[in-house]
Amino acid sequence: MKTAILLVLLLAQGETSSEIDRRAAQIQSKVISWRRDFHEHPELGNRETRTAKIIADHLRSLNLEVKTGVAHTGVVGILRGGRPGKVVALRSDMDALPVTEEVNLPFASKTRTTYNGQEVGVMHACGHDNHMAVLMGVAEVLAGMKSQLAGTVKFIFQPAEEGAPQGEQGGAELMLKEGAFENPRPDAVFGLHVLGVAGNVGQVAYRPAGAMASSDLLRITIRGKQTHGAIPWGGVDPIVVASQVVLGIQTISSRQLDVTKAPSIITIGSIHGGVRNNIIPDEVRLEGTIRAFSPEMQDEMHRRIRLTAESIAESAGATANVEIVRQYPSLFNNPALTEQMLPTLKRVAGAENVSLQPPITAAEDFSFFAQKAPGLFFFLGTNKKGVDPTTAPVNHSPLFEVDEGVLPLGVRTLAHLAVDYLSQK
Ligand SMILES: [Zn+2]
Ligand SMILES: [Zn+2]
């Protein structure tokens, strides 16, 4: 008897599964045209007004409950299934980058705008155009199966993943502040990113626990005492102190932290001080970025950076003022959820196409959502078959190119993850 019930359940699950694939195949050309349209008309973070309207109109046409203007231009759609159950959130980002497109495509971006006072090109150089088209497709597939769904699917279209314009708030953190995870509150959240280094189209990469790094802005101001370049003993040279600080903080990752636990990075990207060859200045300003893979390591790095910079400065009679601005937390994929959903990814993409992704030292603000609900964020390879992913232009390059073959796989992975999650105990 029990075996019979199990068999019926398995058959029903198999039917749902093939219905998702059938519906995904039916809308494939629509998904491609949405993506081309977004690609041709990219908008920067917090300015995604045209983009948001297309998304909201589509979700309304599917009879979803739609909220617009969340975190400036964000859109949230709610699809309530025919039966009660859990709540799963699916997230896409929406913004493009101030990059001038150099890819030779019929739908290449010719958009230009002003960014931080500079005239720039605008391009979906991180591939968020694909994410939006995929999630619009998933909404259409699942809306068509509403009566079979046990639970609720929340579609989250998020602005400004690449960071808000100067002086503005934005992105996942602001969406959460504005209630994107309330009424109803998700039990799990899924998201994907097209990624050049993840391989060729068809390949899926995932990583449980710390998958992407946290990102903090580091500012160090070294104050010495101005003097003549020929009389250094008459003052305190902040340039020499800054040089020691740059080297000193490099020993934190290489000599002080346990390198077998997780990678960590401190990069100083700018040094400013002085105006003339023979004048020792008062002050040198350093700016950099800090990357870590766990909150504990992040805190430890902050503590050691302060200690190293302040102690080196003190030993020379200078002072170091260390300012650290926390930007994105590290992206933590819930290990239990990852293990639970891995069979779905393998079934959809083919087990041989699913691999473990090495840690990625870039950051992603999906991490804020994954702090509020168990999350799984995974990667889809973007390169045309035959292209070497280790030499192909990467995300953010003016030459970054995504093979459209990624779109049906994106729709299928997210739709199957949502349905499988809702139907599992
Ligand atoms: Zn990006
Ligand atoms: Zn991105």
Side-chain angles (χ1 to χ4, degrees):
M1 186 63 189
K2 263 191 185 159
T3 333
I5 292 171
L6 190 68
L7 197 66
V8 170
L9 275 174
L10 281 174
L11 281 173
Q13 212 172 47
E15 263 172 44
T16 311
S17 178
S18 50
E19 186 175 351
I20 293 173
D21 291 343
R22 192 171 49 75
R23 287 179 179 272
Q26 275 169 3
I27 60 162
Q28 196 166 316
S29 59
K30 271 164 94 171
V31 175
I32 290 174
S33 53
W34 288 326
R35 183 262 166 163
R36 291 184 180 182
D37 178 62
F38 286 137
H39 193 87
E40 197 172 352
H41 302 102
E43 294 172 300
L44 292 178
N46 284 359
R47 304 288 182 270
E48 306 95 332
T49 47
R50 177 187 183 275
T51 306
K53 185 176 183 311
I54 292 169
I55 293 166
D57 286 349
H58 175 64
L59 298 184
R60 284 197 190 101
S61 79
L62 300 171
N63 290 320
L64 266 60
E65 295 165 35
V66 179
K67 223 175 164 182
T68 56
V70 186
H72 301 293
T73 50
V75 181
V76 178
I78 299 174
L79 174 67
R80 294 183 202 274
R83 292 180 288 139
K86 286 189 280 196
V87 180
V88 63
L90 304 177
R91 175 273 207 171
S92 163
D93 35 19
M94 300 163 72
D95 53 328
L97 285 159
V99 171
T100 306
E101 176 147 16
E102 291 175 21
V103 187
N104 186 18
L105 290 170
F107 51 91
S109 163
K110 291 172 197 76
T111 306
R112 299 191 69 79
T113 192
T114 311
Y115 177 75
N116 286 344
Q118 269 186 65
E119 149 94 13
V120 291
V122 184
M123 175 189 175
H124 268 298
C126 204
H128 301 178
D129 48 336
N130 299 278
H131 306 164
M132 292 185 281
V134 160
L135 197 53
M136 284 168 70
V138 175
E140 184 153 346
V141 167
L142 297 184
M145 301 171 63
K146 186 178 156 83
S147 58
Q148 290 141 269
L149 279 183
T152 301
V153 186
K154 208 163 188 179
F155 296 90
I156 296 184
F157 290 88
Q158 178 218 303
E161 190 285 321
E162 304 283 359
Q166 254 174 18
E168 293 178 31
Q169 286 187 306
E173 199 178 16
L174 188 60
M175 281 200 99
L176 287 166
K177 272 190 204 159
E178 295 190 5
F181 261 29
E182 285 152 33
N183 303 321
R185 165 166 287 275
D187 297 295
V189 56
F190 298 117
L192 59 76
H193 207 299
V194 295
L195 189 70
V197 296
N200 295 354
V201 159
Q203 292 182 298
V204 176
Y206 74 99
R207 183 171 192 85
M212 294 181 75
S214 56
S215 168
D216 302 312
L217 174 67
L218 171 63
R219 287 198 192 99
I220 305 176
T221 307
I222 311 283
R223 288 197 66 84
K225 187 169 176 285
Q226 192 275 316
T227 180
H228 194 293
I231 315 169
W233 56 89
V236 176
D237 186 347
I239 288 186
V240 171
V241 174
S243 309
Q244 289 176 317
V245 167
V246 170
L247 295 177
I249 58 179
Q250 287 309 315
T251 67
I252 294 171
S253 293
S254 66
R255 306 286 84 179
Q256 301 178 39
L257 299 171
D258 182 346
V259 295
T260 65
K261 278 191 180 154
S264 65
I265 292 169
I266 305 168
T267 290
I268 296 295
S270 87
I271 306 181
H272 287 100
V275 289
R276 201 185 136 89
N277 73 311
N278 60 356
I279 301 174
I280 290 172
D282 261 332
E283 188 180 281
V284 173
R285 282 170 288 119
L286 314 173
E287 277 198 355
T289 185
I290 307 166
R291 306 291 166 122
F293 282 87
S294 71
E296 298 74 35
M297 183 174 271
Q298 199 180 357
D299 290 344
E300 185 60 8
M301 290 173 80
H302 294 183
R303 188 184 73 77
R304 288 178 184 272
I305 289 168
R306 288 181 202 283
L307 179 68
T308 306
E310 288 166 4
S311 307
I312 289 174
E314 193 189 348
S315 72
T319 61
N321 178 51
V322 178
E323 187 197 350
I324 296 170
V325 183
R326 285 171 191 264
Q327 292 174 321
Y328 294 171
S330 63
L331 195 158
F332 185 81
N333 281 326
N334 183 284
L337 182 70
T338 309
E339 200 184 304
Q340 181 189 341
M341 304 318 299
L342 191 56
T344 301
L345 287 179
K346 288 186 172 168
R347 192 185 76 233
V348 174
E352 69 283 6
N353 296 315
V354 179
S355 62
L356 191 66
Q357 172 68 40
I360 295 173
T361 51
E364 231 294 341
D365 74 352
F366 181 88
S367 53
F368 287 105
F369 294 124
Q371 284 183 331
K372 299 289 176 199
L376 173 59
F377 190 74
F378 59 98
F379 308 96
L380 300 181
T382 55
N383 303 293
K384 279 194 180 67
K385 298 227 158 68
V387 170
D388 178 358
T390 61
T391 55
V394 296
N395 297 54
H396 292 206
S397 157
L399 290 166
F400 179 59
E401 192 174 354
V402 175
D403 186 278
E404 283 175 349
V406 80
L407 297 167
L409 182 61
V411 172
R412 290 177 59 240
T413 47
L414 281 183
H416 281 280
L417 282 172
V419 169
D420 284 4
Y421 178 79
L422 292 178
S423 62
Q424 283 168 8
K425 284 276 167 281

